[in-house]
Amino acid sequence: DVVRIARAKGFIKLKPETVKLISEGKVPKGDVLGVAKTSAILAVKKVPELIPLTHPIHITGVNVRTSLLDDGVEMEVEVKSIGKTGVEMEALTGVAIGLLTIWDMTKGLEKNEQGQYPTTAIREIKVVEKVKQ
């Protein structure tokens, strides 16, 4: 058993007006970043239930960082464990679910008159670091 750490990040593109409402805490569904962080942590813990053939892993730590940018939100999830297998799938899943939560909480602000999402997009979900000590 060794220390395993993985960091993943991703980005959700949003309208500048939506980003402003998030920063001001004025999104009708509530605290977007707080809920997204919680959902990312929950997702990390549920990977074996979501992705076939992944192993249950004893998670020793999860850190979620969000950054508001002019055109959206960047999320980074770091997962730590001590064991025989890496935690990159947990970090990637945390980012994906965290960003989907942001989409869900802001979708009413992001839709156009036809009910479509012409600018909203989740992109660049990737592992930025994997450590085995």
Side-chain angles (χ1 to χ4, degrees), residues 14-119:
L14 301 168
K15 296 177 187 175
E17 308 84 58
T18 302
V19 174
K20 185 173 188 291
L21 290 172
I22 292 171
S23 73
E24 294 171 349
K26 294 182 179 177
V27 174
K29 283 193 169 186
D31 177 8
V32 173
L33 300 181
V35 175
K37 287 178 182 181
T38 301
S39 72
I41 293 167
L42 288 171
V44 165
K45 295 178 178 189
K46 296 209 173 271
V47 166
E49 297 171 41
L50 300 169
I51 302 175
L53 307 179
T54 58
H55 301 287
I57 296 175
H58 177 70
I59 303 297
T60 59
V62 179
N63 293 308
V64 181
R65 180 189 61 78
T66 57
S67 300
L68 280 175
L69 305 174
D70 291 339
D71 61 342
V73 180
E74 183 178 80
M75 176 176 280
E76 182 175 282
V77 175
E78 179 183 78
V79 180
K80 296 178 183 178
S81 179
I82 299 173
K84 294 180 181 4
T85 187
V87 289
E88 58 269 28
M89 294 311 299
E90 287 73 12
L92 288 164
T93 302
V95 171
I97 297 299
L99 294 175
L100 285 169
T101 299
I102 293 170
W103 190 316
D104 179 62
M105 293 188 72
T106 61
K107 66 185 175 190
L109 304 168
E110 289 290 299
K111 288 181 191 176
N112 65 13
E113 299 78 30
Q114 293 78 38
Q116 303 300 308
Y117 304 98
T119 58

